[in-house]
Amino acid sequence: MTPESEQKIKEVFEKQKAFFKTNKTKNIEFRKEQLRKFREVFLNHTDALCEALDIDLGKSRKEAEYVEIQIVSSELDYLLENIDEWAKPTPVESKSHPSGAKIVSKITYQPYGVNYIIGPFNYPVQLTFSPLIGALIAGNTAIIKPSENTPHVAKVIEKIIDESFDESYVKVFQGAIEENTLLLSLPFDYIFFTGSPNVGKIVMKAAAEQLIPLTLELGGKSPTIVHKDADLDKAVSRISYGKWINCGQTCVAPDYIYIHESVKDSFINKFIAYLKTTYPEGSLGKIGKIVNTNQIKHLAGYLDAAPEKVIYGGAYDSETRHFEATLMDQVTWDDQVMQQEIFGPILPIMTYTDIDVALEEINNRPKPLALYVFSESEEFANDVLNRTTSGDAEINSAIIHVGSHFLPFGGVGTSGIGKYHGKFSFQAFSHSRSVLEVL
């Protein structure tokens, strides 16, 4: 990083501090006007975003529009439609005053100030712009650092921001560790980070040194329990969608299967048949690209450690960054593939006969970002949810909860801190201020 770049970052930060003090961002109409302009610019760059997503991650046009662009635009419409109601003070009951005077109590919502948003590589559009629109609808300013691992998308993100906003309101800075370290040293009013738990610890430590509130959207090994009474055909297709989309690089992807021993063979046969039809031999690039060659080597290491357990797939091409949809069987907790979040298109399969034992194994490990249960018994599924903890959960489905702006999304424990999306984004980026008035 050059001295000029360092100076520019500090200069923009001070500009945003000064602009926030003008109170212009506290005006609801100002927020809506700015976000309507952003929406127009954002959608006008659909082609450029789709092209960049294809180069960086091998995402098809259909996938890019659905999981990146449409999720942002639909959530933005929802925020614009509801902000007037959300921003109103919320009246609450009051305790009696010792003098007998009348008391009025309410909760008001204040923006924090200058926000720092750190975007990830796996869904670089959705997971950068979704927090941004939440920060802006709540009345904040923002500095954004997109992921350096998706450079083509990062350039389009910067272009969109430059065309939409003045830098005293929203600004993008490109870079990697050096730039992020500098930015984390600044006294932001709020930090929003999406990424790995290891980097999340660095961000949280930096925030703690200045007592900066933050949201951490991390990850983990999300279990997928398939019970003996599950509809196996539905389980195969829905798990497959959740696992292979974006080449397995999804923070809430099913990380491993825990299936009842009595239906395992049937499940595997159906899964392999499904894969042969959907991702036949020769379609190595159909599920996208791994972000870089280092991650290819990392994923290949799981297969090299237990080659006899690979029952389908396993092919990869380091030069093109393609990796085949891969199943592993007879996996145990001791296998290398079970030691951390996979973040790639490898799906280990383990079995259980006693659900109590399986849940104990899950509960003995870090709390996952998501948990999925496939069962035709609502009683069984709810029992599993009652006896486990995860950021979020689905029954007979996988990963689609992420796209709902009606549900709060986020982790718990090592999988994250804080929730956002829809109204929950407004709440996440707002300070709830209690106000009591004695009449």
Side-chain angles (χ1 to χ4, degrees), residues 8 31 40 76 78 113 117 146 156 159 175 177-178 196 206 222 231 261 279 283 321 326-327 333 404-405 409:
K8 181 62 177 180
R31 302 179 200 178
E40 181 180 358
L76 178 52
Y78 182 69
I117 296 172
V156 182
K159 190 171 188 294
I177 294 175
E178 194 174 0
S196 72
S222 296
D231 183 321
E261 178 71 38
Y279 308 110
S283 61
R321 294 186 282 121
T326 302
L327 297 180
W333 286 107
S404 174
H405 45 248
F409 172 74

Side-chain angles (χ1 to χ4, degrees), residues 16-17 20 25 110-115 135 139-142 189-190 429:
Q16 292 203 7
K17 281 283 189 183
F20 183 75
T25 68
Q110 293 186 313
Y112 282 105
V114 183
N115 290 201
N140 300 281
T141 72
D189 298 294
Y190 200 87
F429 287 100

Side-chain angles (χ1 to χ4, degrees), residues 160-299:
I160 291 170
I161 294 301
D162 285 347
E163 291 182 16
S164 300
F165 307 111
D166 185 86
E167 65 179 22
S168 64
Y169 185 40
V170 185
K171 178 64 176 175
V172 168
F173 286 109
Q174 308 287 358
I177 294 175
E178 194 174 0
E179 288 77 10
N180 191 43
T181 300
L182 171 61
L183 285 159
L184 286 173
S185 73
L186 300 176
F188 282 96
D189 298 294
Y190 200 87
I191 296 172
F192 192 104
F193 169 78
T194 304
S196 72
N198 286 337
V199 180
K201 293 176 184 178
I202 296 171
V203 173
M204 192 171 185
K205 182 179 180 180
E209 289 177 352
Q210 301 188 76
L211 297 178
I212 300 172
L214 81 169
T215 293
L216 297 177
E217 294 297 337
L218 308 177
K221 295 186 75 65
S222 296
T224 303
I225 297 170
V226 181
H227 198 42
K228 60 185 176 182
D229 65 349
D231 183 321
L232 297 183
D233 291 311
K234 288 182 180 178
V236 164
S237 63
R238 293 172 185 178
I239 292 170
S240 188
Y241 172 77
K243 182 63 178 180
W244 315 130
I245 191 171
N246 198 30
C247 210
Q249 299 166 116
T250 304
C251 55
V252 291
D255 192 89
Y256 62 94
I257 302 289
Y258 229 149
I259 189 164
H260 195 279
E261 178 71 38
S262 65
V263 293
K264 187 196 78 166
D265 290 343
S266 178
F267 176 78
I268 287 177
N269 290 335
K270 288 178 179 290
F271 216 136
I272 290 175
Y274 179 88
L275 289 173
K276 286 181 177 178
T277 301
T278 313
Y279 308 110
E281 186 178 357
S283 61
L284 189 59
K286 196 169 182 181
I287 59 174
K289 296 178 182 178
I290 298 298
V291 66
N292 55 46
T293 54
N294 285 337
Q295 181 64 2
I296 288 274
K297 293 176 183 177
H298 179 70
L299 294 170

